[in-house]
Amino acid sequence: MLAHATMVPKIRMGTKFLLVLFCPDKISNSQVLPEGQYAAPKTEISTMTLRAILTDIEGTTSSIHFVHQVLFPYSAAAIPEFVRAHAGSPEIQPLLNKIADEIQLAHSDLDGITAALLGWIAEDRKHSVLKILQGIVWQRGYQEGAFKAHVYPEVGDVLRRWDASGLLLYVYSSGSIAAQKLFFKHSDAGDLSPLFQGYFDTTSGPKREAKSYAVIASAIGLIPAQILFLSDIEAELDAARAAGMRTTLLAREQLPNSKHAIAADFTAIQL
């Protein structure tokens, strides 16, 4: 199974890493069990060298409020005009038709399709077509300077330090890959996009299922124990750990009890 992800060519590849990338069966004993259950690698995590960091965005690198109070309202305001203007385009029409088929509307019912999209935005539905369309309209907002993506004050410097140390950085978010790239390219800490080796969205699988993290590890070319996943959502961390990844819970407002390592911000993350 291949992950749907955008990968950036890596320059820090030694012979050992190439073996991992092209011959993962040589080092990993992960397996997929019947009925989609995933068995994590049996390798002891503590004995493995950390090679990569996989991070969530919303609530982890960046404030939830920016997404809900800036990005979502902007897309809700822009979607109606966008649908009317681009309904006949070869890129957008198939996406709108998919929505119409899903909710049993005529392909010509643009008002009904628009209403569905606005409802999904309001409920923060993780719908693949919605995420694609939001990414497109957000691109205009970024390019016109309507907003910059928020990242917490320490995040940019820590990401740069990790990159300089040789760690490979990746993103896994429910937002589309295109939206993730825009987010980090237009952040208020500057253009952070060159720091990331690749991006993953829910086309690689749901974020609360262990198999998704196994798919991502395979696409990266590392065994899960060599990857640290960062998130503010306990259930996502549970899934990543079940796949064999290291995990850290970002808890910026208060430090809860958790079976995962806990960090108040990126400077407190233990590698």
Side-chain angles (χ1 to χ4, degrees), residues 127-191:
H127 192 286
S128 59
V129 173
L130 170 63
K131 294 303 179 183
I132 292 171
L133 296 177
Q134 283 180 313
I136 294 172
V137 299
W138 288 334
Q139 180 175 11
R140 183 176 67 183
Y142 284 120
Q143 291 175 341
E144 293 177 351
F147 45 77
K148 287 186 178 294
H150 170 269
V151 295
Y152 288 110
E154 84 287 353
V155 168
D157 287 342
V158 174
L159 290 176
R160 292 184 181 99
R161 185 167 71 247
W162 287 345
D163 175 67
S165 74
L167 287 169
L168 305 174
L169 305 181
Y170 298 86
V171 179
Y172 182 27
S173 173
S174 59
S176 69
I177 288 172
Q180 294 173 31
K181 291 180 176 180
L182 285 169
F183 191 99
F184 286 107
K185 182 174 181 61
H186 298 278
S187 89
D188 54 14
D191 183 1

Side-chain angles (χ1 to χ4, degrees), residues 196-209:
F196 293 101
Q197 305 297 315
Y199 302 80
F200 299 90
D201 59 17
T202 52
T203 58
S204 296
K207 295 188 71 181
R208 301 190 182 201
E209 293 186 7

